[in-house]
Amino acid sequence: MGLEFHTSRLADAVAWGRKYSLFQYPFVTACCGMEFMSTMAPKYDLARFGAEFPRFSPRQADLLIIVGTIVEKQAPVLRRIWEQMTEPKWVIAFGVCASTGGFYQNYTSVPGADQIIPVDVYIPGCPPRPEQVLDALVLLQERIQDHKGFSQVRLKAEHDKIISANKLVRR
Amino acid sequence: MSKTALEKLVARFGPVVTAQHAQHGNETASIQPASWVEVATYCRDTLGFDMASDLTVVDYLGQEPRFEVVLHLYAVATKQRLRLKTRPPGSDGDDETPVIASLFGVWPAVNWMEREAYDLYGVKFEGHPDLRRILMYEEFVGHPLRKDYPKEKRQPLVRRPPAET
Ligand code: SF4
């Protein structure tokens, strides 16, 4: 008990706040964009889950949604956008093209965005239905609450490393 | 009935037209590569084909010459279409790139089409003002729409480091 208990409760509270205030950066490259728009529109309304505003600067976003096919020429751009985003950050691969390359098996398509950056949640479908997208967002929220997102795990590991390197002890 | 564009072309150039085909008003003429620009200029100035609507390449792997350049023309005033084909000499390998004269001087519109044909098939257009890749990135090696380009071959620019989580 004591401080240890309170800090872990605090981390949970922060995660709770984060999962309901995701600022998304839609990286829309192909036909899946249509379905993304319908998910954002009033009928399905992603805003109900707290992911209200698309941010068109990666520096203001913490959720990268990769919507559509990624080609090799574009891959460095995607990587750079992801690097620019603020930590902690999460990534959703929207549609089979972003998840695995889909039916494109050729010289130009990247076989899955996870070849470029770590992906937290994959949405299958060509394109996925809006319900699947909402389901994916809820899955991601659970992942955030459980501190299991890729960048959450990495931040925690880096934090622990600093603590042990400096022999800091929590009292 | 007046002569069709194809008949006029054959009457004017004779043996330069190595093959011809016409069906339902679709006219095709195969041209000797040495007369490519001359025939194109005639089509524009005398036959009235003022618009080059497409230029592409077909790869006949195993045949000699291997590549065939295909040009689609349209005459806006008479609503006629004409297809010109030619087989430039030179076959496989990047060093033996087939070479054909550029039509940029006849229709400036072929600029990007010739760049695309060069990028994806490796046909070199002599006299083109700016023959660079247009679709693939500069680091790309080879010409991906050639029939002998390996289907599974990838040339990534960036990959996630394996240690990264
Ligand atoms: S998954 Fe289907 S709908 Fe989505 S970008 Fe790929 S091809 Fe288009």
Side-chain angles (χ1 to χ4, degrees):
Chain A
M1 285 287 272
L3 187 62
E4 194 63 47
F5 174 81
H6 289 291
T7 48
S8 71
R9 290 298 99 189
L10 180 64
D12 283 348
V14 170
W16 181 86
R18 279 178 178 152
K19 77 175 179 180
Y20 288 126
S21 61
L22 288 165
F23 279 54
Q24 27 156 341
Y25 180 92
F27 190 82
V28 181
T29 55
C31 21
C32 266
M34 292 297 140
E35 214 63 19
F36 178 73
M37 289 169 212
S38 95
T39 312
M40 292 303 295
K43 185 161 178 185
Y44 292 98
D45 203 5
L46 210 60
R48 290 180 292 156
F49 300 87
E52 172 83 64
F53 290 118
R55 282 314 194 193
F56 294 104
S57 159
R59 290 158 206 272
Q60 298 169 350
D62 57 4
L63 170 60
L64 177 62
I65 307 186
I66 306 166
V67 186
T69 327
I70 307 295
V71 297
E72 296 288 4
K73 196 174 181 177
Q74 214 175 20
V77 178
L78 177 62
R79 172 94 197 166
R80 184 147 184 197
I81 283 178
W82 175 80
E83 280 167 358
Q84 285 177 338
M85 286 168 58
T86 48
E87 299 264 21
K89 54 195 170 194
W90 298 274
V91 179
I92 288 181
F94 187 118
V96 284
C97 280
S99 304
T100 66
F103 48 70
Y104 297 110
Q105 188 179 18
N106 58 20
Y107 56 91
T108 184
S109 305
V110 178
D114 54 3
Q115 304 273 326
I116 315 294
I117 53 176
V119 174
D120 287 289
V121 179
Y122 300 83
I123 313 178
C126 176
R129 285 203 50 87
E131 293 90 335
Q132 284 174 274
V133 183
L134 300 181
D135 191 31
L137 192 76
V138 173
L139 269 177
L140 181 70
Q141 288 178 337
E142 282 170 14
R143 203 176 157 92
I144 295 172
Q145 183 69 74
D146 295 344
H147 311 281
K148 282 197 185 135
F150 274 112
S151 93
Q152 286 169 301
V153 171
R154 189 183 62 244
L155 286 180
K156 175 87 167 56
E158 281 168 12
H159 179 256
D160 289 353
K161 221 162 106 190
I162 293 169
I163 299 267
S164 66
N166 293 306
K167 304 226 163 29
L168 301 178
V169 188
R170 286 207 187 106
R171 286 170 204 285
Chain B
M1 226 177 94
S2 64
K3 274 176 148 184
T4 64
L6 184 60
E7 286 161 355
K8 284 183 199 158
L9 202 66
V10 174
R12 164 74 175 75
F13 286 98
V16 164
V17 180
T18 54
Q20 50 174 303
H21 177 260
Q23 192 170 34
H24 306 306
N26 268 322
E27 300 178 333
T28 308
S30 295
I31 309 291
Q32 284 185 2
S35 310
W36 186 235
V37 177
E38 193 192 346
V39 171
T41 312
Y42 176 79
C43 287
R44 182 194 66 181
D45 294 342
T46 312
L47 301 182
F49 288 99
D50 45 1
M51 181 169 148
S53 48
D54 196 14
L55 185 144
T56 184
V57 178
V58 184
D59 179 0
Y60 292 102
L61 184 61
Q63 291 183 20
E64 185 63 41
R66 179 175 158 187
F67 295 96
E68 185 172 64
V69 179
V70 183
L71 172 70
H72 292 233
L73 298 177
Y74 184 65
V76 176
T78 56
K79 299 197 174 76
Q80 271 183 310
R81 288 177 198 278
L82 179 66
R83 187 182 299 129
L84 297 182
K85 296 179 177 179
T86 189
R87 291 222 179 177
S91 55
D92 335 45
D94 283 322
D95 351 334
E96 279 181 76
T97 312
V99 181
I100 184 80
S102 168
L103 294 182
F104 181 75
V106 188
W107 296 279
V110 298
N111 184 347
W112 284 10
M113 303 179 204
E114 287 185 345
R115 275 179 68 186
E116 184 184 0
Y118 162 73
D119 187 359
L120 302 180
Y121 286 98
V123 175
K124 211 164 168 184
F125 293 88
E126 230 171 15
H128 190 285
D130 182 27
L131 199 63
R132 286 180 292 127
R133 289 191 182 276
I134 187 169
L135 294 173
M136 305 311 294
Y137 32 98
E138 272 165 28
E139 294 85 346
F140 197 86
V141 179
H143 304 282
L145 285 196
R146 287 188 170 192
K147 293 271 185 256
D148 53 1
Y149 186 88
K151 183 166 70 81
E152 304 278 319
K153 188 174 169 191
R154 299 247 160 61
Q155 301 188 30
L157 286 177
V158 59
R159 279 291 182 262
R160 175 179 159 197
E164 189 178 77
T165 51

